[in-house]
Amino acid sequence: MNPFTGSASSAERWRHLRLTKESHVATVTLERPAKVNALTFGAYADLRDLLAELASERSVRALVLGGRGSGFCSGSDVQEVIGATLSMEADELRAFNRLTGQVVRAIRECPFPVIAAVHGAAAGAGAVLALAADFRIADPSARFSFLFTKVGLSGGDMGAAYLLPRVVGLGHATRLLMLGEPVCAPEAERIGLLSELVGEGEADERAAELALRLAQGPTLAYAQTKAQLTAELDMPFAAALEMGGVTQAFLMNGQDHNEYHSAFIEKRPPTWLGR
């Protein structure tokens, strides 16, 4: 049996997480509080499959990712994942590492903003999940730890060596990925890892507020902006300008741009349709 399978497609109940939807906002909560939401094989697979499902159904316009209990996510479960990998063959290990990469890629490529609401520990894979999000909202208890070298593995796991330098710069990324030392919320804000630092216990509420704002905005414009931010990281400048021009021409021919103009002339707020 393939260990990297999640719940059934179009699942109303996901085994390894909790999903709620309201006002075009999906809230995904990791649900293993006794283990600080440590990820199992099934949890990785559920995240991958859920993100693909939400992207294809197109009713979700923003997503909040959080964790129940004392922390956001402590990374891979030491017994159920790390212990199991010690007895895996090379092909199984490749499949597992592809799975974790697929989760990060799904976060980056889904057509809606993803907001990580972080409190307590965001360690190992948990730190990378938060890193992959478009926004990171954290309270003062948050601490980020890229622990991979501390267990004898590369600090660049799950795309961390690609994403982190682009968020905090090469110098800070080298320190965080090489040493694996925890970064508390004030320092995370100082080096640019956080989008916003809020009061104690307020990360979930603030993330929900931001998600609702995004869901009520020009969602197609947000989706194209996210796609450009991801795609243009490695493009030559001329190619980025060309992609930007083609994208803008597409949006200029859309209903939302026309709606903005009508609303401006009529002196009213625009009604965004996402088209």
Side-chain angles (χ1 to χ4, degrees):
M1 180 179 294
N2 185 347
F4 310 138
T5 55
S7 301
S9 178
S10 300
E12 293 183 3
R13 289 181 57 85
W14 297 81
R15 290 196 301 268
H16 308 284
L17 48 86
R18 177 164 52 90
L19 169 66
T20 61
K21 298 179 187 176
E22 185 177 357
S23 302
H24 299 290
V25 173
T27 301
V28 177
T29 306
L30 303 175
E31 286 270 277
R32 296 187 78 205
K35 292 198 171 186
V36 198
N37 303 311
L39 298 166
T40 61
F41 293 127
Y44 282 114
D46 267 7
L47 283 169
R48 174 200 61 194
D49 297 345
L50 172 60
L51 286 162
E53 182 177 306
L54 295 177
S56 64
E57 70 180 36
R58 298 202 174 275
S59 66
V60 170
R61 298 179 179 179
L63 183 146
V64 175
L65 177 63
R68 182 182 167 204
S70 63
F72 176 72
C73 177
S74 57
S76 293
D77 188 285
V78 174
Q79 294 178 323
E80 295 191 36
V81 174
I82 297 176
T85 60
L86 298 177
S87 60
M88 286 183 179
E89 300 294 333
D91 59 339
E92 294 176 296
L93 292 171
R94 282 195 297 271
F96 169 60
N97 282 284
R98 287 194 187 102
L99 167 64
T100 62
Q102 286 166 351
V103 175
V104 174
R105 183 171 180 177
I107 294 172
R108 290 304 317 144
E109 294 185 354
C110 62
F112 43 76
V114 176
I115 306 159
V118 183
H119 70 285
V128 184
L129 292 182
L131 173 65
D134 301 290
F135 299 88
R136 284 161 295 282
I137 310 294
D139 78 6
S141 71
R143 59 189 185 280
F144 298 82
S145 306
F146 297 88
L147 296 173
F148 306 109
T149 60
K150 287 186 174 290
V151 300
L153 299 175
S154 166
D157 197 19
M158 296 175 65
Y162 179 91
L163 293 172
L164 193 59
R166 290 163 168 81
V167 174
V168 301
L170 181 60
H172 289 306
T174 300
R175 173 172 59 93
L176 299 184
L177 296 183
M178 285 268 192
L179 301 180
E181 295 174 347
V183 178
C184 293
E187 183 186 1
E189 181 185 39
R190 179 180 65 82
I191 66 176
L193 184 56
L194 294 186
S195 307
E196 186 176 349
L197 179 60
V198 297
E200 190 74 35
E202 296 177 0
D204 288 343
E205 180 181 356
R206 176 62 185 129
E209 290 174 355
L210 177 58
L212 184 59
R213 172 185 171 182
L214 291 164
Q216 293 174 341
T219 54
L220 184 58
Y222 292 153
Q224 293 300 316
T225 301
K226 176 173 180 172
Q228 284 184 259
L229 285 168
T230 298
E232 292 182 17
L233 286 172
D234 299 313
M235 282 186 182
F237 185 49
L241 286 173
E242 180 64 19
M243 181 178 184
V246 171
T247 300
Q248 212 69 308
F250 165 69
L251 291 172
M252 285 174 174
N253 198 39
Q255 293 183 36
D256 275 355
H257 185 58
N258 185 67
E259 165 63 11
Y260 161 76
H261 182 261
S262 297
F264 181 82
I265 297 299
E266 297 167 14
K267 296 182 169 50
R268 60 172 175 82
T271 301
W272 304 111
L273 302 174
R275 295 193 290 270

